[in-house]
Short mmCIF file of all heavy atoms in Angstrom, two decimals:
data_model
loop_
_atom_site.label_atom_id
_atom_site.label_comp_id
_atom_site.label_asym_id
_atom_site.label_seq_id
_atom_site.Cartn_x
_atom_site.Cartn_y
_atom_site.Cartn_z
N THR J 1 -1.24 -4.93 23.51
CA THR J 1 -0.78 -4.68 24.85
C THR J 1 0.74 -4.61 24.81
O THR J 1 1.36 -3.79 25.57
CB THR J 1 -1.23 -5.85 25.84
OG1 THR J 1 -2.68 -5.82 25.86
CG2 THR J 1 -0.73 -5.56 27.26
N LEU J 2 1.39 -5.41 24.09
CA LEU J 2 2.87 -5.40 23.85
C LEU J 2 3.20 -4.10 23.15
O LEU J 2 4.25 -3.45 23.56
CB LEU J 2 3.34 -6.57 23.01
CG LEU J 2 3.10 -7.99 23.58
CD1 LEU J 2 3.58 -9.05 22.62
CD2 LEU J 2 3.83 -8.09 24.91
N VAL J 3 2.41 -3.64 22.21
CA VAL J 3 2.64 -2.34 21.53
C VAL J 3 2.69 -1.22 22.50
O VAL J 3 3.55 -0.28 22.42
CB VAL J 3 1.57 -2.08 20.48
CG1 VAL J 3 1.57 -0.62 19.99
CG2 VAL J 3 1.77 -3.01 19.25
N ASP J 4 1.90 -1.23 23.51
CA ASP J 4 1.86 -0.18 24.55
C ASP J 4 3.24 -0.01 25.22
O ASP J 4 3.57 1.06 25.64
CB ASP J 4 0.85 -0.54 25.66
CG ASP J 4 -0.61 -0.50 25.17
OD1 ASP J 4 -0.87 0.05 24.11
OD2 ASP J 4 -1.50 -1.10 25.82
N LYS J 5 4.03 -1.08 25.24
CA LYS J 5 5.24 -1.13 25.96
C LYS J 5 6.43 -1.08 25.05
O LYS J 5 7.59 -1.05 25.55
CB LYS J 5 5.30 -2.32 26.90
CG LYS J 5 4.14 -2.43 27.90
CD LYS J 5 4.21 -3.69 28.65
CE LYS J 5 3.05 -3.85 29.60
NZ LYS J 5 3.07 -2.84 30.67
N ALA J 6 6.17 -1.10 23.69
CA ALA J 6 7.36 -1.25 22.75
C ALA J 6 7.86 0.02 22.31
O ALA J 6 7.23 1.11 22.31
CB ALA J 6 6.88 -2.09 21.59
N ASP J 7 9.20 0.06 21.89
CA ASP J 7 9.79 1.19 21.20
C ASP J 7 9.65 1.04 19.66
O ASP J 7 9.49 1.99 18.96
CB ASP J 7 11.25 1.22 21.56
CG ASP J 7 11.45 1.44 23.07
OD1 ASP J 7 11.08 2.48 23.55
OD2 ASP J 7 12.04 0.47 23.67
N ILE J 8 9.75 -0.22 19.21
CA ILE J 8 9.81 -0.49 17.74
C ILE J 8 8.87 -1.66 17.43
O ILE J 8 8.92 -2.71 18.25
CB ILE J 8 11.20 -0.74 17.27
CG1 ILE J 8 12.11 0.48 17.48
CG2 ILE J 8 11.24 -1.26 15.82
CD1 ILE J 8 13.59 0.18 17.14
N LEU J 9 8.21 -1.64 16.37
CA LEU J 9 7.47 -2.82 15.78
C LEU J 9 8.01 -3.02 14.42
O LEU J 9 8.15 -2.10 13.68
CB LEU J 9 5.99 -2.66 15.79
CG LEU J 9 5.17 -3.86 15.26
CD1 LEU J 9 3.85 -3.93 15.96
CD2 LEU J 9 4.92 -3.74 13.71
N LEU J 10 8.34 -4.28 14.09
CA LEU J 10 8.85 -4.69 12.75
C LEU J 10 7.85 -5.65 12.09
O LEU J 10 7.42 -6.60 12.73
CB LEU J 10 10.21 -5.34 12.88
CG LEU J 10 11.34 -4.60 13.61
CD1 LEU J 10 12.56 -5.55 13.75
CD2 LEU J 10 11.69 -3.34 12.82
N GLU J 11 7.58 -5.35 10.85
CA GLU J 11 6.71 -6.37 10.01
C GLU J 11 7.15 -6.30 8.59
O GLU J 11 7.63 -5.31 8.03
CB GLU J 11 5.25 -6.00 10.24
CG GLU J 11 4.82 -4.66 9.62
CD GLU J 11 4.20 -4.79 8.23
OE1 GLU J 11 4.16 -5.87 7.67
OE2 GLU J 11 3.72 -3.73 7.75
N GLY J 12 7.00 -7.45 7.96
CA GLY J 12 7.43 -7.63 6.51
C GLY J 12 6.34 -8.26 5.66
O GLY J 12 6.66 -8.93 4.70
N PHE J 13 5.10 -7.93 5.98
CA PHE J 13 4.00 -8.48 5.13
C PHE J 13 3.68 -7.58 3.98
O PHE J 13 4.15 -6.46 3.87
CB PHE J 13 2.72 -8.60 5.98
CG PHE J 13 2.87 -9.50 7.23
CD1 PHE J 13 2.39 -9.01 8.49
CD2 PHE J 13 3.49 -10.69 7.21
CE1 PHE J 13 2.53 -9.83 9.61
CE2 PHE J 13 3.67 -11.45 8.28
CZ PHE J 13 3.16 -11.00 9.54
N ARG J 14 2.80 -8.10 3.03
CA ARG J 14 2.33 -7.25 1.93
C ARG J 14 1.57 -6.06 2.54
O ARG J 14 0.96 -6.20 3.59
CB ARG J 14 1.45 -8.05 1.04
CG ARG J 14 2.13 -9.00 0.15
CD ARG J 14 1.27 -9.41 -1.01
NE ARG J 14 1.52 -10.73 -1.45
CZ ARG J 14 1.12 -11.31 -2.61
NH1 ARG J 14 0.29 -10.53 -3.45
NH2 ARG J 14 1.38 -12.46 -2.94
N PRO J 15 1.59 -4.95 1.85
CA PRO J 15 0.85 -3.77 2.36
C PRO J 15 -0.68 -4.14 2.59
O PRO J 15 -1.26 -4.78 1.71
CB PRO J 15 1.03 -2.75 1.19
CG PRO J 15 2.27 -3.11 0.59
CD PRO J 15 2.42 -4.57 0.61
N GLY J 16 -1.13 -3.79 3.77
CA GLY J 16 -2.53 -3.99 3.99
C GLY J 16 -2.82 -5.16 4.95
O GLY J 16 -3.87 -5.27 5.61
N VAL J 17 -1.81 -6.06 5.09
CA VAL J 17 -2.08 -7.25 5.93
C VAL J 17 -2.20 -6.86 7.38
O VAL J 17 -3.15 -7.29 8.07
CB VAL J 17 -0.90 -8.28 5.74
CG1 VAL J 17 -1.01 -9.40 6.81
CG2 VAL J 17 -1.02 -8.88 4.31
N MET J 18 -1.27 -6.09 7.84
CA MET J 18 -1.39 -5.63 9.27
C MET J 18 -2.67 -4.80 9.58
O MET J 18 -3.25 -4.95 10.61
CB MET J 18 -0.14 -4.87 9.62
CG MET J 18 1.15 -5.66 9.77
SD MET J 18 1.12 -6.80 11.18
CE MET J 18 1.54 -5.63 12.46
N GLU J 19 -3.09 -4.05 8.59
CA GLU J 19 -4.34 -3.23 8.76
C GLU J 19 -5.56 -4.23 8.89
O GLU J 19 -6.38 -3.97 9.72
CB GLU J 19 -4.52 -2.29 7.60
CG GLU J 19 -3.62 -1.10 7.60
CD GLU J 19 -2.20 -1.33 7.02
OE1 GLU J 19 -1.84 -2.51 6.82
OE2 GLU J 19 -1.43 -0.36 6.84
N ARG J 20 -5.56 -5.26 8.05
CA ARG J 20 -6.69 -6.19 8.15
C ARG J 20 -6.70 -6.97 9.45
O ARG J 20 -7.74 -7.41 9.87
CB ARG J 20 -6.63 -7.17 6.93
CG ARG J 20 -6.97 -6.45 5.60
CD ARG J 20 -7.18 -7.47 4.49
NE ARG J 20 -6.02 -8.15 4.10
CZ ARG J 20 -5.14 -7.75 3.21
NH1 ARG J 20 -5.27 -6.57 2.60
NH2 ARG J 20 -4.06 -8.51 2.85
N LEU J 21 -5.51 -7.21 10.01
CA LEU J 21 -5.43 -7.87 11.36
C LEU J 21 -5.91 -6.94 12.47
O LEU J 21 -6.07 -7.49 13.60
CB LEU J 21 -4.00 -8.34 11.57
CG LEU J 21 -3.50 -9.52 10.78
CD1 LEU J 21 -2.01 -9.72 10.95
CD2 LEU J 21 -4.24 -10.78 11.12
N GLY J 22 -5.96 -5.69 12.19
CA GLY J 22 -6.28 -4.70 13.30
C GLY J 22 -5.00 -4.26 14.03
O GLY J 22 -5.10 -3.74 15.14
N LEU J 23 -3.85 -4.43 13.34
CA LEU J 23 -2.60 -4.06 13.92
C LEU J 23 -1.84 -3.03 13.11
O LEU J 23 -0.63 -2.87 13.17
CB LEU J 23 -1.69 -5.32 14.13
CG LEU J 23 -2.26 -6.34 15.06
CD1 LEU J 23 -1.41 -7.64 14.98
CD2 LEU J 23 -2.29 -5.85 16.49
N GLY J 24 -2.55 -2.32 12.22
CA GLY J 24 -1.92 -1.33 11.32
C GLY J 24 -1.33 -0.17 12.12
O GLY J 24 -1.58 0.01 13.30
N PRO J 25 -0.51 0.66 11.43
CA PRO J 25 0.11 1.79 12.13
C PRO J 25 -0.82 2.79 12.73
O PRO J 25 -0.56 3.31 13.73
CB PRO J 25 0.97 2.40 10.98
CG PRO J 25 0.39 1.89 9.68
CD PRO J 25 -0.20 0.56 10.00
N ASP J 26 -2.01 3.04 12.15
CA ASP J 26 -2.95 3.93 12.76
C ASP J 26 -3.40 3.48 14.17
O ASP J 26 -3.42 4.24 15.11
CB ASP J 26 -4.19 4.19 11.84
CG ASP J 26 -3.84 4.96 10.58
OD1 ASP J 26 -2.76 5.56 10.56
OD2 ASP J 26 -4.69 4.95 9.62
N VAL J 27 -3.74 2.14 14.27
CA VAL J 27 -4.19 1.62 15.51
C VAL J 27 -2.98 1.57 16.46
O VAL J 27 -3.10 2.01 17.63
CB VAL J 27 -4.69 0.16 15.32
CG1 VAL J 27 -4.94 -0.48 16.64
CG2 VAL J 27 -5.92 0.17 14.44
N ALA J 28 -1.82 1.13 15.94
CA ALA J 28 -0.61 0.91 16.90
C ALA J 28 -0.14 2.30 17.41
O ALA J 28 0.07 2.47 18.59
CB ALA J 28 0.48 0.29 16.14
N LEU J 29 -0.02 3.29 16.53
CA LEU J 29 0.32 4.63 16.96
C LEU J 29 -0.69 5.30 17.78
O LEU J 29 -0.39 6.21 18.61
CB LEU J 29 0.75 5.49 15.78
CG LEU J 29 2.15 5.12 15.14
CD1 LEU J 29 2.28 5.68 13.71
CD2 LEU J 29 3.29 5.52 16.02
N GLY J 30 -1.93 4.97 17.60
CA GLY J 30 -2.99 5.45 18.46
C GLY J 30 -2.90 4.93 19.86
O GLY J 30 -3.24 5.64 20.83
N ARG J 31 -2.33 3.75 20.00
CA ARG J 31 -2.10 3.19 21.32
C ARG J 31 -0.81 3.69 21.97
O ARG J 31 -0.69 3.96 23.12
CB ARG J 31 -1.99 1.66 21.23
CG ARG J 31 -3.23 0.96 20.75
CD ARG J 31 -4.22 0.64 21.85
NE ARG J 31 -3.63 -0.25 22.87
CZ ARG J 31 -4.15 -1.33 23.33
NH1 ARG J 31 -5.36 -1.74 22.74
NH2 ARG J 31 -3.75 -2.07 24.28
N ASN J 32 0.17 3.86 21.14
CA ASN J 32 1.53 4.28 21.60
C ASN J 32 2.07 5.31 20.61
O ASN J 32 2.69 4.93 19.61
CB ASN J 32 2.41 3.04 21.72
CG ASN J 32 3.87 3.39 22.14
OD1 ASN J 32 4.24 4.54 22.37
ND2 ASN J 32 4.70 2.32 22.29
N GLY J 33 1.95 6.61 20.97
CA GLY J 33 2.33 7.63 20.08
C GLY J 33 3.83 7.79 19.86
O GLY J 33 4.28 8.50 18.90
#
């Protein structure tokens, strides 16, 4: 929901962590192009 309203998202996890959380770039950009 915050992603819907954001300009930028920052993360510094190992590759794949955000995807496993369901917050990867495909999902996030699907919500907010």
Side-chain angles (χ1 to χ4, degrees):
T1 301
L2 298 176
V3 164
D4 294 340
K5 302 174 182 296
D7 299 295
I8 295 171
L9 182 146
L10 304 174
E11 66 96 354
F13 303 133
R14 288 198 210 193
V17 171
M18 288 290 281
E19 284 83 351
R20 290 192 292 274
L21 289 171
L23 297 171
D26 289 345
V27 174
L29 285 163
R31 298 271 302 229
N32 179 356

